[in-house]
Amino acid sequence: MIVLDKKKRVFTLHTQNTTYQMKADQHNILLHTYYGPRVSGGDLSYLIQYADRGFSPNPNEVGDERDYSLDTLPQEYSSCGVGDFRIPSVEFEPEDGSRLADLRYAGYELYKGKYNLEGLPAFWGGEEWETLIVYMKDAAAKMSVELYYGILEERDLITRAVRVVNQGTETVRLQRCASLCLDFQRDDLDFITFDGCHTMERCPNRAPLRPGIQSVNSLRGTSSHHHNPFVVLCERGAGEDYGLCYGAMLVYSGNFQAAAERTQLENNRLVLGIDPYNFCFTLAPGESFTAPEAALVCSPHGFGQMSRQFHRSLREHLIRDPYQGKQRPVLMNNWEATYFDFTADKLVDIAKGAQGLGIELFVMDDGWFGSRDTDLSGLGDWSVNLNKLPGGFEALVPRIKALGMRFGLWIEPEMVSENSRLYQEHPDWALGVPGRPQTRGRSQLVLDFSRREVLDYIYEAMRKILDGADISYLKWDMNRSLSDVWSAALPANRQGEVYHRYVLGVYGILERLRRDYPDLLIEGCSGGGGRFDAGMLYYTPQIWCSDNTDAIDRLRIQYGTSFCYPVSAMGAHVSVSPNEQNGRVTSMETRGVAAMSGTFGYEMDLGKCTPEEREVIKRQTAFFKEHYDLIQRGDYYRLSDPFTAPYTAWEQVSPDRREALVSLVSGPTQAAAPFRALRLKGLNPSLRYAVNGGGAYPGDVLMEAGWPLPMTWGDYQSMQLYLSAL
C-alpha cells in the first residue's frame, strides 16, 4: 500500500510487515526517512538531525545554513560531486568533461500494477502490485532520473529500478548508474555476503560494518562463482528466527557491485547495481538507459522469514516455469558417466540402465556436435557429429523415447573454439582487441553477444536443432569469464557498453526461446553456479547449482544459496561415490537426501549400480515425486548451520502447515556422541502430527522440545522425517 501526503511530499510504502518512506524536502532533495518494521505512518523526517559538520559543504541555495549538507543527510538516490562524498549512485559526463550529478525532486506517478523494464528481467504481476515512479532532474546537465518502485504487499517485497533520460541537446556519457541506494541511520549492522569459487559457491560471510567501504563485485562479465549479487544487512544479534535484517538482490547476470559504507557519522549506506568498471553508456539527446531491477525484503524476524519471502516472490512473480503447477521431470545426465567418449549406442545403453528407476528425462551433455572429442574444438559449429550419432537426433531421440524418457540436450552457445568452422569464417565475432593476443579460458573464446548478427546466427542454429527433434529440455552452459572485452561492431567511444550489451544479448536469445518454444524447460549453467542469479531465473527456472556434486559440499553450497533462492531453482544431482571432485565416500541414501533439496536427478551410469542401489534409487524417485509439491513449493526452514553444527538439517512445510519434511545429514562420526534433539519449525502448534506414519506428536512439542536424533554409526549418515497432521 502506498500512502502519499501531497502537502508534505511524503511517500510511505507499506507492506504486510514493513514500512519504507521518503520525503522531498524544501530544497527538493529526496530524503530517505525510514525502512524497517511496519509503523503507523506519518512524517518520519523528524528522525533526521541537522548539524554543522566540518568539511561537509552546503548547497548553494541554503546560503549560510551550514547545518544543511548532502554529506550528512540520508538520501534516496545519492548525488555525485556536489557535496556528498559517500558512494554515489549516478555519474554524468557531459561534453564539458565534468562528472557531477545534482538530482532534485520533480514529481511522481502512481498506479496499480507492476512496471515493466524493456529488454531486462523483472518481477511481474497484476493488481496485487502497486507502482510508484519518482521523477528527479539535474537542471544543469538536463538529465532526468526516474526512480521506479514496485510494492508487493503480501510478500514484503519492494523492487527498485532506474531509468536515465538525456533531455538536453548535448551527448552525455553515463559513467555510473546504480539500481538501489539505501541509507540507514543506525550504526549496529553486520554485512553478509555469499562468496566462494568454482565448485564451492555462495558460502555466507558475515562481518560488522567498519568505517569505510566494504564491497563485493564481479568484473567477469557474469555474476560469478566468487560473489553473488545478493547481500544482507542485519542487526548484530540477528539469527534465523529473530532480529532485523534487510536482503537486497540485483536481478542481473553481469558485472555488479554491492557496496556498503559506514560513514563519518557511523551511519550506513548500501549501493547495489552494475559495477562501474569499464561501464560507460553514451546517451545522445533523447536517448535513455535503464538500469537492472533490484529487490528488497526487510524481515523483523530474522533470516528465515526474509528467505521465505524471497522464495515465494521468486516462484510466484519472477520465474516463468513451463511446468507451472506440474512436476518437472527427474532427469539423468550422461556427463560424469561418459564425458566426451560416447556413441549413440552407448547413450542408449545408459538410458536402458535407468529403465524402471523412475527416470523421466535423459540429457545428452557436451560432445555431440562438430569435431567435439575434447574441449579444444567444435564450439560454434552446432551441427550433429554423425560419426558419434549416425542419423543425428532424428535417429537417437526416438530410441530414447521408446524407453519411456524424454530427451534433453546440453549447449554452450556463447562460446567459440578457434578450431571451428565458425571461427575460421568469422574471427571478428569473438571478443578481442585487434593486434593483441586473445586470452583463452577452457581453451575457448567468447562470442560477441552484443552484435545482432552473432545473436541471429546462434539463434538460427538453435532453432534448427529444436525444430529437427523432439527436445524437451535444454541445458544452457557458459564455461569461462569474459576477457579482452572489445567489440568490432562499436566505435572506440562506446566500448564501455560491451559488457552490458553482452548481457542484453543473452537475455534477448533466451526471451526468443521462451516465445518460440514455450514448453521447453531450460536449465541455466555457468560451470555450475557462475551465473546463479535472479536475472537468469527469469528465463531459466532452474540453474545447475555447482559443478561440485559431492553431497557434503553440496549441503554447504545449497545452504548459502537458500538465503535468497528457492529449492525449485537449485539444479542438484546424485553422482558416483567416491565423488569425482574430492574422492569423498557417501551412501546412495545420503546423496539422494542432499540432491532432493533441489530439482533432483542423477549424473552417473545407473546401469552400473548394484541391485541394492537400484532399489534405493527407485525409492528415492518415488518419494520425491510423491512429495514434490512439499519439497519444491513448501516453506523452507534452515534447522542448522552446516559450517558450525555437527549435522546439516532443513525442513519444508506445506503452506497450510499440515505436512512437513525434515531432512538431516550427519557430519563425521565421533565416539561417545552426545544425545541431541532437533527442534522443528513452522508447524501448527495446535495440531498433532504423525511422524513417518507412526505415533502422534503435538506441533508445539516438536518445535519446543524437538525430536531425538538417532545415534549414528559411520560418517555422513542421513535421515528423513515425513510429518502429516492428523
Short mmCIF file of all heavy atoms in Angstrom, two decimals, residues 82-120:
data_model
loop_
_atom_site.label_atom_id
_atom_site.label_comp_id
_atom_site.label_asym_id
_atom_site.label_seq_id
_atom_site.Cartn_x
_atom_site.Cartn_y
_atom_site.Cartn_z
N VAL A 82 28.76 17.05 -5.76
CA VAL A 82 28.15 18.32 -5.33
C VAL A 82 28.01 18.37 -3.82
O VAL A 82 27.09 18.99 -3.30
CB VAL A 82 26.79 18.56 -6.03
CG1 VAL A 82 26.99 18.84 -7.51
CG2 VAL A 82 25.85 17.37 -5.83
N GLY A 83 28.92 17.71 -3.12
CA GLY A 83 28.94 17.86 -1.67
C GLY A 83 28.67 16.60 -0.87
O GLY A 83 28.83 16.61 0.35
N ASP A 84 28.25 15.52 -1.52
CA ASP A 84 28.10 14.24 -0.84
C ASP A 84 29.31 13.38 -1.22
O ASP A 84 29.47 13.02 -2.38
CB ASP A 84 26.80 13.55 -1.25
CG ASP A 84 26.54 12.25 -0.49
OD1 ASP A 84 27.43 11.81 0.27
OD2 ASP A 84 25.46 11.67 -0.66
N PHE A 85 30.15 13.07 -0.23
CA PHE A 85 31.39 12.36 -0.51
C PHE A 85 31.29 10.86 -0.24
O PHE A 85 32.29 10.15 -0.26
CB PHE A 85 32.53 12.98 0.31
CG PHE A 85 32.77 14.42 -0.05
CD1 PHE A 85 32.21 15.43 0.72
CD2 PHE A 85 33.49 14.77 -1.17
CE1 PHE A 85 32.41 16.76 0.38
CE2 PHE A 85 33.69 16.09 -1.52
CZ PHE A 85 33.15 17.10 -0.74
N ARG A 86 30.08 10.39 -0.02
CA ARG A 86 29.86 8.96 0.14
C ARG A 86 29.67 8.33 -1.25
O ARG A 86 29.80 8.99 -2.28
CB ARG A 86 28.62 8.73 1.01
CG ARG A 86 28.79 9.26 2.44
CD ARG A 86 27.47 9.32 3.17
NE ARG A 86 26.59 10.35 2.65
CZ ARG A 86 25.37 10.59 3.10
NH1 ARG A 86 24.86 9.85 4.07
NH2 ARG A 86 24.64 11.56 2.57
N ILE A 87 29.38 7.02 -1.28
CA ILE A 87 29.26 6.32 -2.56
C ILE A 87 28.17 6.98 -3.40
O ILE A 87 27.02 7.13 -2.95
CB ILE A 87 28.88 4.85 -2.34
CG1 ILE A 87 29.86 4.16 -1.39
CG2 ILE A 87 28.85 4.10 -3.68
CD1 ILE A 87 29.40 2.78 -0.96
N PRO A 88 28.48 7.39 -4.62
CA PRO A 88 27.44 7.97 -5.48
C PRO A 88 26.59 6.89 -6.14
O PRO A 88 27.03 5.74 -6.30
CB PRO A 88 28.25 8.74 -6.52
CG PRO A 88 29.53 7.99 -6.63
CD PRO A 88 29.81 7.42 -5.25
N SER A 89 25.39 7.28 -6.55
CA SER A 89 24.51 6.36 -7.27
C SER A 89 24.63 6.53 -8.78
O SER A 89 24.44 5.57 -9.53
CB SER A 89 23.06 6.59 -6.86
OG SER A 89 22.87 6.31 -5.50
N VAL A 90 24.94 7.75 -9.23
CA VAL A 90 24.93 8.02 -10.66
C VAL A 90 25.99 9.07 -10.97
O VAL A 90 26.29 9.92 -10.13
CB VAL A 90 23.52 8.50 -11.10
CG1 VAL A 90 23.17 9.85 -10.49
CG2 VAL A 90 23.37 8.52 -12.61
N GLU A 91 26.58 8.97 -12.16
CA GLU A 91 27.56 9.96 -12.62
C GLU A 91 27.27 10.30 -14.07
O GLU A 91 27.13 9.41 -14.91
CB GLU A 91 28.98 9.41 -12.53
CG GLU A 91 29.51 9.19 -11.12
CD GLU A 91 30.95 8.70 -11.14
OE1 GLU A 91 31.78 9.31 -11.85
OE2 GLU A 91 31.25 7.71 -10.46
N PHE A 92 27.17 11.60 -14.35
CA PHE A 92 27.00 12.09 -15.72
C PHE A 92 28.31 12.75 -16.17
O PHE A 92 28.97 13.43 -15.39
CB PHE A 92 25.90 13.15 -15.80
CG PHE A 92 24.59 12.75 -15.20
CD1 PHE A 92 23.88 13.64 -14.39
CD2 PHE A 92 24.04 11.49 -15.43
CE1 PHE A 92 22.67 13.28 -13.83
CE2 PHE A 92 22.84 11.12 -14.88
CZ PHE A 92 22.14 12.03 -14.07
N GLU A 93 28.66 12.56 -17.44
CA GLU A 93 29.78 13.28 -18.03
C GLU A 93 29.30 13.95 -19.32
O GLU A 93 29.27 13.32 -20.38
CB GLU A 93 30.95 12.36 -18.33
CG GLU A 93 32.17 13.11 -18.85
CD GLU A 93 33.31 12.20 -19.24
OE1 GLU A 93 33.25 11.00 -18.94
OE2 GLU A 93 34.26 12.69 -19.87
N PRO A 94 28.90 15.22 -19.25
CA PRO A 94 28.52 15.94 -20.47
C PRO A 94 29.75 16.29 -21.30
O PRO A 94 30.89 15.93 -20.95
CB PRO A 94 27.81 17.18 -19.93
CG PRO A 94 28.36 17.38 -18.56
CD PRO A 94 28.72 16.02 -18.04
N GLU A 95 29.54 17.03 -22.37
CA GLU A 95 30.63 17.31 -23.30
C GLU A 95 31.72 18.17 -22.70
O GLU A 95 32.85 18.18 -23.20
CB GLU A 95 30.06 17.94 -24.58
CG GLU A 95 29.22 16.97 -25.40
CD GLU A 95 28.63 17.61 -26.65
OE1 GLU A 95 28.89 18.81 -26.88
OE2 GLU A 95 27.92 16.90 -27.39
N ASP A 96 31.42 18.88 -21.60
CA ASP A 96 32.45 19.71 -20.98
C ASP A 96 33.40 18.90 -20.09
O ASP A 96 34.35 19.44 -19.54
CB ASP A 96 31.83 20.86 -20.19
CG ASP A 96 30.98 20.40 -19.01
OD1 ASP A 96 31.01 19.20 -18.67
OD2 ASP A 96 30.25 21.23 -18.43
N GLY A 97 33.14 17.59 -19.91
CA GLY A 97 34.03 16.73 -19.16
C GLY A 97 33.79 16.71 -17.66
O GLY A 97 34.49 15.99 -16.93
N SER A 98 32.83 17.48 -17.16
CA SER A 98 32.53 17.45 -15.73
C SER A 98 31.90 16.11 -15.36
O SER A 98 31.37 15.40 -16.21
CB SER A 98 31.60 18.60 -15.36
OG SER A 98 30.37 18.51 -16.08
N ARG A 99 31.94 15.77 -14.07
CA ARG A 99 31.42 14.47 -13.62
C ARG A 99 30.52 14.70 -12.41
O ARG A 99 30.79 14.19 -11.32
CB ARG A 99 32.57 13.53 -13.26
CG ARG A 99 33.49 13.17 -14.41
CD ARG A 99 32.90 12.09 -15.31
NE ARG A 99 32.91 10.81 -14.68
CZ ARG A 99 33.90 9.92 -14.76
NH1 ARG A 99 34.99 10.22 -15.45
NH2 ARG A 99 33.83 8.75 -14.17
N LEU A 100 29.46 15.46 -12.58
CA LEU A 100 28.57 15.82 -11.48
C LEU A 100 27.19 15.23 -11.70
O LEU A 100 26.80 14.90 -12.82
CB LEU A 100 28.44 17.34 -11.35
CG LEU A 100 29.73 18.16 -11.31
CD1 LEU A 100 29.41 19.64 -11.18
CD2 LEU A 100 30.62 17.69 -10.18
N ALA A 101 26.44 15.12 -10.62
CA ALA A 101 25.02 14.76 -10.68
C ALA A 101 24.34 15.42 -9.48
O ALA A 101 24.66 15.09 -8.34
CB ALA A 101 24.83 13.25 -10.65
N ASP A 102 23.47 16.37 -9.75
CA ASP A 102 22.76 17.11 -8.70
C ASP A 102 21.26 16.90 -8.93
O ASP A 102 20.63 17.63 -9.69
CB ASP A 102 23.12 18.59 -8.76
CG ASP A 102 22.55 19.38 -7.58
OD1 ASP A 102 21.99 18.74 -6.67
OD2 ASP A 102 22.68 20.62 -7.58
N LEU A 103 20.71 15.87 -8.28
CA LEU A 103 19.34 15.46 -8.56
C LEU A 103 18.37 16.13 -7.60
O LEU A 103 18.57 16.12 -6.39
CB LEU A 103 19.22 13.94 -8.44
CG LEU A 103 20.10 13.12 -9.39
CD1 LEU A 103 19.92 11.63 -9.13
CD2 LEU A 103 19.79 13.44 -10.85
N ARG A 104 17.26 16.63 -8.17
CA ARG A 104 16.22 17.27 -7.37
C ARG A 104 14.86 16.70 -7.76
O ARG A 104 14.60 16.37 -8.92
CB ARG A 104 16.22 18.79 -7.60
CG ARG A 104 17.55 19.47 -7.30
CD ARG A 104 18.01 19.24 -5.87
NE ARG A 104 19.34 19.77 -5.60
CZ ARG A 104 19.57 20.93 -4.99
NH1 ARG A 104 18.55 21.68 -4.59
NH2 ARG A 104 20.82 21.32 -4.77
N TYR A 105 14.00 16.62 -6.76
CA TYR A 105 12.66 16.08 -6.95
C TYR A 105 11.89 16.91 -7.98
O TYR A 105 11.90 18.15 -7.95
CB TYR A 105 11.92 16.08 -5.62
CG TYR A 105 10.46 15.72 -5.70
CD1 TYR A 105 10.06 14.40 -5.87
CD2 TYR A 105 9.48 16.70 -5.60
CE1 TYR A 105 8.72 14.06 -5.94
CE2 TYR A 105 8.13 16.38 -5.67
CZ TYR A 105 7.76 15.06 -5.84
OH TYR A 105 6.43 14.74 -5.92
N ALA A 106 11.17 16.20 -8.90
CA ALA A 106 10.44 16.90 -9.95
C ALA A 106 9.04 16.35 -10.18
O ALA A 106 8.39 16.72 -11.17
CB ALA A 106 11.24 16.83 -11.26
N GLY A 107 8.55 15.46 -9.31
CA GLY A 107 7.19 14.95 -9.48
C GLY A 107 7.12 13.45 -9.29
O GLY A 107 8.12 12.79 -8.98
N TYR A 108 5.93 12.92 -9.49
CA TYR A 108 5.72 11.49 -9.25
C TYR A 108 4.58 10.99 -10.11
O TYR A 108 3.79 11.76 -10.68
CB TYR A 108 5.41 11.23 -7.77
CG TYR A 108 4.02 11.65 -7.36
CD1 TYR A 108 2.96 10.75 -7.37
CD2 TYR A 108 3.75 12.97 -6.99
CE1 TYR A 108 1.68 11.15 -7.03
CE2 TYR A 108 2.48 13.38 -6.64
CZ TYR A 108 1.45 12.47 -6.66
OH TYR A 108 0.18 12.86 -6.33
N GLU A 109 4.47 9.65 -10.17
CA GLU A 109 3.35 8.96 -10.82
C GLU A 109 3.04 7.73 -9.98
O GLU A 109 3.95 7.08 -9.46
CB GLU A 109 3.73 8.56 -12.25
CG GLU A 109 2.61 7.93 -13.05
CD GLU A 109 3.04 7.59 -14.47
OE1 GLU A 109 4.14 8.03 -14.89
OE2 GLU A 109 2.29 6.86 -15.14
N LEU A 110 1.77 7.41 -9.87
CA LEU A 110 1.33 6.31 -9.01
C LEU A 110 0.24 5.54 -9.73
O LEU A 110 -0.70 6.14 -10.27
CB LEU A 110 0.80 6.88 -7.69
CG LEU A 110 0.31 5.92 -6.61
CD1 LEU A 110 1.45 5.06 -6.11
CD2 LEU A 110 -0.29 6.72 -5.44
N TYR A 111 0.36 4.20 -9.78
CA TYR A 111 -0.69 3.41 -10.43
C TYR A 111 -0.68 1.98 -9.91
O TYR A 111 0.30 1.50 -9.35
CB TYR A 111 -0.56 3.44 -11.95
CG TYR A 111 0.75 2.94 -12.53
CD1 TYR A 111 0.95 1.59 -12.80
CD2 TYR A 111 1.77 3.83 -12.85
CE1 TYR A 111 2.12 1.13 -13.36
CE2 TYR A 111 2.96 3.38 -13.41
CZ TYR A 111 3.13 2.03 -13.66
OH TYR A 111 4.31 1.58 -14.21
N LYS A 112 -1.80 1.29 -10.13
CA LYS A 112 -1.93 -0.13 -9.79
C LYS A 112 -1.21 -0.97 -10.84
O LYS A 112 -1.21 -0.64 -12.02
CB LYS A 112 -3.40 -0.53 -9.73
CG LYS A 112 -4.10 -0.19 -8.43
CD LYS A 112 -3.72 -1.21 -7.36
CE LYS A 112 -4.55 -1.02 -6.10
NZ LYS A 112 -4.13 -1.97 -5.04
N GLY A 113 -0.66 -2.10 -10.39
CA GLY A 113 0.05 -2.98 -11.30
C GLY A 113 1.54 -2.80 -11.17
O GLY A 113 2.05 -1.98 -10.40
N LYS A 114 2.29 -3.58 -11.95
CA LYS A 114 3.74 -3.61 -11.87
C LYS A 114 4.35 -3.02 -13.14
O LYS A 114 3.94 -3.37 -14.26
CB LYS A 114 4.21 -5.06 -11.69
CG LYS A 114 5.72 -5.28 -11.71
CD LYS A 114 6.43 -4.60 -10.57
CE LYS A 114 7.87 -5.08 -10.40
NZ LYS A 114 8.70 -4.90 -11.60
N TYR A 115 5.33 -2.14 -12.98
CA TYR A 115 6.05 -1.59 -14.13
C TYR A 115 6.81 -2.71 -14.85
O TYR A 115 7.11 -3.75 -14.28
CB TYR A 115 7.01 -0.50 -13.68
CG TYR A 115 8.09 -0.97 -12.73
CD1 TYR A 115 9.25 -1.60 -13.20
CD2 TYR A 115 7.97 -0.80 -11.35
CE1 TYR A 115 10.23 -2.06 -12.33
CE2 TYR A 115 8.96 -1.24 -10.48
CZ TYR A 115 10.08 -1.87 -10.97
OH TYR A 115 11.06 -2.32 -10.11
N ASN A 116 7.16 -2.47 -16.11
CA ASN A 116 7.99 -3.39 -16.90
C ASN A 116 9.30 -2.70 -17.27
O ASN A 116 9.37 -1.47 -17.33
CB ASN A 116 7.27 -3.81 -18.19
CG ASN A 116 6.01 -4.61 -17.90
OD1 ASN A 116 6.04 -5.53 -17.11
ND2 ASN A 116 4.91 -4.25 -18.54
N LEU A 117 10.32 -3.49 -17.55
CA LEU A 117 11.60 -2.98 -17.99
C LEU A 117 11.92 -3.60 -19.35
O LEU A 117 12.09 -4.80 -19.46
CB LEU A 117 12.71 -3.32 -16.99
CG LEU A 117 12.55 -2.78 -15.57
CD1 LEU A 117 13.70 -3.24 -14.69
CD2 LEU A 117 12.44 -1.27 -15.55
N GLU A 118 12.00 -2.79 -20.37
CA GLU A 118 12.22 -3.30 -21.72
C GLU A 118 13.59 -3.95 -21.84
O GLU A 118 14.62 -3.35 -21.53
CB GLU A 118 12.09 -2.15 -22.73
CG GLU A 118 12.21 -2.61 -24.19
CD GLU A 118 12.05 -1.49 -25.17
OE1 GLU A 118 11.76 -0.35 -24.74
OE2 GLU A 118 12.20 -1.74 -26.38
N GLY A 119 13.60 -5.21 -22.29
CA GLY A 119 14.85 -5.93 -22.53
C GLY A 119 15.54 -6.45 -21.30
O GLY A 119 16.62 -7.05 -21.40
N LEU A 120 14.93 -6.26 -20.12
CA LEU A 120 15.56 -6.70 -18.87
C LEU A 120 14.58 -7.57 -18.08
O LEU A 120 13.37 -7.34 -18.12
CB LEU A 120 15.96 -5.50 -18.01
CG LEU A 120 17.21 -4.73 -18.42
CD1 LEU A 120 17.26 -3.39 -17.71
CD2 LEU A 120 18.46 -5.54 -18.11
#
